[in-house]
Amino acid sequence: MSRKILAANWKMNTTLAEATILANGVKEGVRHLTNVDVVIFPPFPWLVPVAEALQQHSTKHLAIGAQNLYWQESGAYTGEVSARMLKGIVDYVIIGHSERRKHFHEQDDEIDLKVKQAVAAGLTPILCIGEQKKPSAAVLARPADVTATHMKTILQSLEENVAGLTTANVKNLIVAYEPVWAIGSGVAATGIYANHVTGLIRNRLAKLFGAAGKQIPVLYGGSANADNAKEFLVQPEIDGLLVGGASLKIDAFVSMCKQAAE
Ligand code: PGA
């Protein structure tokens, strides 16, 4: 896939005023970039105001998404937000982020239901998977040596999280490979290691869903920033980046989008 995807996960950050400035800054910065799809994921309460800010001078390749959803359509689920509520406001939704797995104890089977619900509602889920344990320096330098046991934790989650999809609707999925040890740590994976694991993820998707599985974009995420973005973006298996911390800085994130568009 030559067209890259740059996703900005703002997490639980920004006031409304900050979110508006950030959204407008990104919009301005990526306006002329046609060769990259940019998606920003503000916190829930800012989805509508940010969507409205982006609609003025709308830019086709700049979209918004939610950071989570609940898999039921409606009902007595205090504090939750359904796919049906999000449809019409956002096009994308992050599902199964490691912070949700860790702090909110989301399990693989629940994430499967969320992915299925997102796709059924016509949203594009970005499903996050990745291992907890940092591989050795030797493996990061020579990723072909990665063990089957190490890969199993990643691929098992993947299989369970996409169990509700079929070859017919899997084309709406995006996967983000996010090694948990790299998220927010300031220590990214190496480009060659991320490329290798991404390739193995793609092989598994192809095994599960055939040709449609091979086409699913797979992003890298984990301490990606303006200085290391290129190391990942040049890798043949990596279709883009899911960015946390660096996406809160207009200049850094726009620079990453520009590098992706080159
Ligand atoms: P980070 O976060 O870029 O701050 O490591 C990435 C993510 O959590 O998606």
Side-chain angles (χ1 to χ4, degrees):
M1 205 184 90
S2 59
R3 194 180 170 83
K4 305 285 188 202
I5 300 165
L6 259 275
N9 178 9
W10 293 358
K11 308 191 181 183
M12 198 176 72
N13 293 298
T14 69
T15 61
L16 175 56
E18 288 163 352
T20 310
I21 292 169
L22 190 50
N24 281 322
V26 172
K27 181 175 78 174
E28 203 44 49
V30 306
R31 188 192 297 269
H32 300 294
L33 303 178
T34 48
N35 203 22
V36 57
D37 288 318
V38 181
V39 191
I40 57 183
F41 294 85
F44 276 125
W46 313 152
L47 286 176
V48 170
V50 166
E52 282 169 359
L54 296 184
Q55 262 158 22
Q56 299 155 10
H57 320 288
S58 81
T59 321
K60 235 177 59 225
H61 57 278
L62 175 58
I64 68 166
Q67 297 175 15
N68 183 31
L69 56 68
Y70 190 54
W71 52 273
Q72 292 281 8
E73 279 192 8
S74 62
Y77 303 100
T78 302
E80 294 297 325
V81 175
S82 71
R84 206 163 67 173
M85 293 168 174
L86 291 170
K87 184 68 187 159
I89 303 171
V90 306
D91 295 316
Y92 295 79
V93 58
I94 294 174
I95 293 181
H97 191 280
S98 66
E99 287 151 14
R100 294 216 55 89
R101 294 179 194 254
K102 181 178 169 199
H103 301 301
F104 306 100
H105 314 292
E106 285 192 9
Q107 303 297 316
D108 282 326
D109 54 346
E110 192 184 356
I111 292 165
D112 170 41
L113 292 171
K114 291 183 173 200
V115 168
K116 200 169 149 188
Q117 189 65 21
V119 167
L123 300 172
T124 299
I126 299 189
L127 166 67
C128 302
I129 49 167
E131 78 279 17
Q132 303 280 341
K133 193 170 175 290
K134 188 175 181 176
S136 67
V139 168
L140 286 171
R142 248 179 68 100
D145 292 344
V146 71
T147 63
T149 319
H150 185 82
M151 284 310 300
K152 200 172 160 201
T153 60
I154 305 169
L155 298 176
Q156 203 163 312
S157 268
L158 174 69
E159 288 208 3
E160 288 178 34
N161 297 166
V162 299
L165 300 184
T166 64
T167 38
N169 63 14
V170 78
K171 64 176 186 303
N172 296 324
L173 178 71
I174 296 174
V175 172
Y177 166 54
E178 296 209 301
V180 178
W181 50 267
I183 295 177
S185 67
V187 181
T190 56
I192 50 168
Y193 170 78
N195 186 62
H196 185 74
V197 175
T198 302
L200 296 175
I201 290 170
R202 194 181 307 283
N203 288 349
R204 185 57 59 96
L205 288 167
K207 201 169 147 200
L208 292 170
F209 300 109
K214 229 179 161 54
Q215 297 304 317
I216 294 167
V218 186
L219 317 181
Y220 167 77
S223 295
N225 58 40
D227 295 330
N228 64 21
K230 206 75 197 178
E231 181 181 344
F232 299 101
L233 292 168
V234 295
Q235 304 294 340
E237 297 285 357
I238 298 177
D239 297 310
L241 298 168
L242 177 52
V243 189
S247 75
L248 295 168
K249 300 176 206 127
I250 297 170
D251 288 353
F253 187 65
V254 168
S255 157
M256 296 170 89
C257 294
K258 285 184 179 160
Q259 294 179 55
E262 276 167 7

